Amino acid sequence: MTRTVVVGIGNTFRHDDGVGLVVARALRLSHLPHVSIRESDGDGCSLLEMMRDADRAILVDATSSGLEPGTVSRLEPSDSRISQIAPTSSHAFGLRDALGMGATLGVLPASVVIYGIEGLDFSPGRGLSAPVRKAAASVIREIVAGLPVVET
Amino acid sequence: MATRKIDVETITRVEGEGALRLKVRDGQLEDVQLNIYEPPRFFEAFLRGRSYTEPPDITARICGICPVAYQMSSCHAIEAACGVKVGEPIRTIRRLLYCGEWIESHVLHVAFLHAPDFLGYMDAIRMAADHGAVVQLALKMKKTGNKLVTIVGGREIHPINVRVGGFYKAPSKKDLRALLDPLKEAADGAEAMLRWAKPLDYPDFDRPYELVCVKHPDEYPFNEGRVVSTGGIDIDPSQYDDVFEERHVEHSNALHSVVKARGHYLTGPLARFVLCYDQLTPRAKAAAAAAGLTPAVRNPFLTIMIRCVETLYAIEEAIRIIEAYEEPDRPYEDVPPRAGKGYGCTEAPRGMLCHHYTLDSDGTILDAEIIPPTSQNLASMEDDIRAFAGPRLGLPDAELAMKCEHAIRNHDPCISCATHFLKLEVDRQ
């Protein structure tokens, strides 16, 4: 049985920064079999723990890289663009560090995919901007479509 | 005159941003400046005019590593201003929350931030390739600390369950008891981490610090006690302004705190270990003794081992509290506002954190002062660099820069808290 974990990363009180969490919550409502849904504020150590026992991890985070708002980047941990969309935080240990550390320790799931959704509005407040809301919906569809078919 | 200039743009693996400037003239170290360029954050200013119930949530945002410390110091200061002293059950839950933060923060600093300095790695990820076991151990221990903060504080970072007077909701006995096994395993882990750290290469570097911390007669300090020092200070936190002051220095956005009568001082694990050694548990004392640590220690490089001892203490204390825990009838006490000034000093993982609030009779904050551990330690960190870099000026610039960063990281500076961290510039002429 493939164990999949979807981790939404972000902060819903910073508008588009919450898109990872919005995607995770929508997927949770779908009650997908053999998929655990987790939410993260971006702490790298916790991210590693959330992925530890999974065969497959899907991470969803907002990006702020200068792309067109709503642009979805589908990345693997080795992708050099990771450092552009997930710069090292002064708050010690974030997504990029977690992926680097996980790869070094050999504890990453066999498959890790990161969906980066380019945000428009990272100001304080709730709710997503229109292009990001649309991108979230397409990421949700893509994640569900990519899940293994479970026989019932 | 020979001119040589080294620029180390950013000191990494510390919280926040700043720079270190060394001025060398004819081979002699003439000046050391820790320049803090992260802009001032004005927390004290925007607390003015707000309600006395708000600082625990607002000031927690100052730091992602030690938000609990901000919550605890603000609660204590506000309760002191209002003339309320919370009872034992709430005080105990506060200690438990603090245990979680110490475990999280110390383990992160020991294994991810400080250890790479001793072993010559640029970062923990590169260190993990050769020292995977200790990194895995740290991840596991940190997870337990995070769980403790989550159960007591409501979430891992920036807990939401703390209020003036106590907590919104008391943690459940069942949730806490589930932590006992991971905590017992983490206690063994802290001892293993200390054994791992013991053979690291420690420079001889004893320093003449005046060490300052909160001291309680019966407990290793988290959030209650007098403010004491190796220089004879022994005051109630309310007498803080009589003994200490914050000074602006031109080269830094962070203020420098000094003992009015004498000058620089140091707060943090070294101070607590030296001044509160008697309050450690027998197991923590035995672990310290096995590592060769005694209360006579004055070498800041040894703080990596002291953090392991303190981690062990925090884990044992958490176990003790959880084993005796009964849910209180009410998770908070009422704190009616009144006009006055209150002082709160508690021990963040990296040192003493003091908050002072002046309140109006309706609880409006008229004035707020926040004195984070890093601003108290900045002047001593500059002194350390002066003493440490001086004899090492012959080193190539890149190597000298790494040595200086190591000496600064001894103090686990939280520069975003103190701006109030780090580029290194060596100006040699």
Side-chain angles (χ1 to χ4, degrees):
Chain A
M1 187 61 60
T2 306
R3 291 160 301 181
T4 302
V5 60
V6 179
V7 186
I9 304 167
N11 177 356
T12 52
F13 299 108
R14 284 274 186 176
H15 290 291
D16 291 341
D17 191 35
V19 66
L21 302 177
V22 168
V23 169
R25 288 167 194 176
L27 289 169
R28 184 179 284 134
L29 291 176
S30 312
H31 298 291
L32 302 162
H34 311 300
V35 179
S36 63
I37 309 289
R38 304 295 298 268
E39 296 183 17
S40 164
D41 53 26
D43 174 62
C45 295
S46 302
L47 274 175
L48 276 178
E49 293 303 328
M50 289 176 186
M51 291 189 283
R52 197 176 272 270
D53 296 319
D55 304 301
R56 192 161 173 263
I58 299 166
L59 311 180
V60 188
D61 198 359
T63 65
S64 173
S65 62
L67 294 167
E68 188 67 26
T71 305
V72 177
S73 311
R74 189 179 186 282
L75 309 169
E76 296 190 356
S78 59
D79 197 308
S80 61
R81 287 176 293 166
I82 294 271
S83 56
Q84 286 166 359
I85 65 163
T88 300
S89 152
S90 66
H91 277 268
F93 201 77
L95 171 62
R96 183 172 68 158
D97 301 311
L99 294 173
M101 181 66 86
T104 303
L105 293 172
V107 298
L108 288 183
S111 160
V112 178
V113 174
I114 303 112
Y115 286 96
I117 302 171
E118 185 75 11
L120 171 66
D121 179 5
F122 291 95
S123 65
R126 306 192 71 154
L128 302 179
S129 67
V132 171
R133 200 163 47 234
K134 202 171 151 199
S138 79
V139 168
I140 292 166
R141 281 193 300 273
E142 191 172 326
I143 290 174
V144 172
L147 292 171
V149 176
V150 178
E151 293 178 23
T152 51
Chain B
M1 246 192 300
T3 298
R4 195 170 158 210
K5 190 171 174 173
I6 307 173
D7 253 326
V8 173
E9 287 289 309
T10 308
I11 291 190
T12 56
R13 283 182 277 134
V14 296
E15 284 283 296
E17 294 177 35
L20 173 65
R21 179 165 295 136
L22 303 184
K23 196 165 154 191
V24 182
R25 293 290 175 270
D26 298 325
Q28 297 293 314
L29 188 57
E30 194 176 280
D31 196 22
V32 173
Q33 291 186 351
L34 267 171
N35 297 282
I36 303 305
Y37 58 79
E38 182 172 305
R41 295 170 67 190
F42 306 117
F43 269 81
E44 290 151 322
F46 69 66
L47 283 164
R48 274 181 228 136
R50 289 187 171 270
S51 165
Y52 75 118
T53 56
E54 292 187 275
D57 287 318
I58 291 176
T59 63
R61 289 285 165 176
I62 292 175
C63 181
I65 305 288
C66 50
V68 170
Y70 282 88
Q71 295 188 318
M72 294 297 107
S73 288
S74 60
C75 285
H76 283 276
I78 290 162
E79 289 158 12
C82 299
V84 171
K85 193 166 166 37
V86 301
E88 201 55 37
I90 288 166
R91 200 178 84 83
T92 302
I93 304 173
R94 286 182 170 169
R95 277 184 75 75
L96 185 59
L97 180 59
Y98 237 138
C99 290
E101 178 163 281
W102 275 34
I103 298 166
E104 275 182 11
S105 175
H106 273 354
V107 168
L108 180 79
H109 190 261
V110 168
F112 284 58
L113 308 178
H114 209 189
D117 282 330
F118 287 93
L119 296 164
Y121 295 97
M122 285 302 290
D123 57 49
I125 297 173
R126 272 164 267 208
M127 188 185 96
D130 304 325
H131 298 270
V134 75
V135 171
Q136 293 268 31
L137 174 66
L139 281 169
K140 198 164 180 185
M141 291 169 68
K142 188 172 182 300
K143 183 182 175 185
T144 302
N146 284 19
K147 269 192 180 159
L148 182 52
V149 172
T150 303
I151 291 172
V152 182
R155 67 180 178 195
E156 256 171 32
I157 303 179
H158 303 129
I160 47 170
N161 191 28
V162 173
R163 53 173 290 167
V164 171
F167 295 86
Y168 289 100
K169 181 175 179 295
S172 83
K173 196 170 167 173
K174 179 169 166 279
D175 286 348
L176 288 177
R177 292 200 78 89
L179 281 177
L180 282 174
D181 286 340
L183 281 166
K184 286 173 184 168
E185 207 179 327
D188 297 339
E191 288 171 328
M193 196 172 270
L194 180 54
R195 284 193 299 272
W196 178 83
K198 188 187 173 190
L200 294 174
D201 189 20
Y202 296 100
D204 289 326
F205 190 63
D206 280 8
R207 302 286 300 142
Y209 301 122
E210 175 159 1
L211 299 168
V212 176
C213 73
V214 174
K215 186 176 168 92
H216 184 280
D218 308 317
E219 299 163 344
Y220 204 72
F222 290 125
N223 50 3
E224 188 175 321
R226 293 174 69 78
V227 176
V228 301
S229 87
T230 49
I233 295 169
D234 184 355
I235 57 165
D236 184 83
S238 64
Q239 298 166 284
Y240 189 92
D241 296 330
D242 301 339
V243 175
F244 299 96
E245 70 180 343
E246 287 191 286
R247 291 182 186 155
H248 282 282
V249 289
E250 199 175 329
H251 61 266
S252 174
N253 285 345
L255 298 163
H256 281 196
S257 289
V258 294
V259 178
K260 279 180 184 173
R262 290 182 290 277
H264 308 168
Y265 65 97
L266 186 81
T267 175
L270 186 65
R272 293 187 296 251
F273 182 80
V274 168
L275 287 157
C276 307
Y277 176 84
D278 288 344
Q279 283 76 26
L280 285 169
T281 55
R283 186 173 172 181
K285 280 182 187 163
L293 295 168
T294 72
V297 62
R298 293 293 185 276
N299 182 346
F301 288 89
L302 301 180
T303 53
I304 188 170
M305 292 198 283
I306 294 175
R307 285 188 185 88
C308 294
V309 173
E310 287 195 331
T311 303
L312 175 59
Y313 174 83
I315 295 166
E316 287 190 272
E317 178 69 358
I319 293 171
R320 184 190 69 77
I321 291 170
I322 293 172
E323 285 180 335
Y325 179 73
E326 296 294 340
E327 291 171 36
D329 297 334
R330 194 161 176 255
Y332 64 91
E333 291 176 22
D334 293 321
V335 182
R338 73 174 195 193
K341 184 167 183 180
Y343 294 75
C345 291
T346 75
E347 288 286 341
R350 50 198 48 68
M352 188 169 77
L353 168 64
C354 303
H355 286 217
H356 310 158
Y357 297 94
T358 305
L359 306 181
D360 204 349
S361 56
D362 68 353
T364 303
I365 297 168
L366 299 175
D367 195 35
E369 253 181 295
I370 297 171
I371 306 146
T374 299
S375 77
Q376 300 177 69
N377 289 344
L378 269 176
S380 286
M381 286 193 278
E382 288 184 352
D383 295 342
D384 275 14
I385 295 298
R386 216 166 273 129
F388 191 69
R392 291 169 174 82
L393 292 174
L395 289 173
D397 288 356
E399 204 178 326
L400 178 61
M402 279 188 72
K403 297 274 186 202
C404 288
E405 289 199 26
H406 187 179
I408 288 167
R409 265 193 296 274
N410 287 335
H411 303 292
D412 189 9
C414 185
I415 304 297
S416 41
C417 307
T419 333
H420 313 307
F421 207 79
L422 198 64
K423 282 184 177 179
L424 174 62
E425 183 184 304
V426 185
D427 170 13
R428 302 183 196 244
Q429 284 181 30

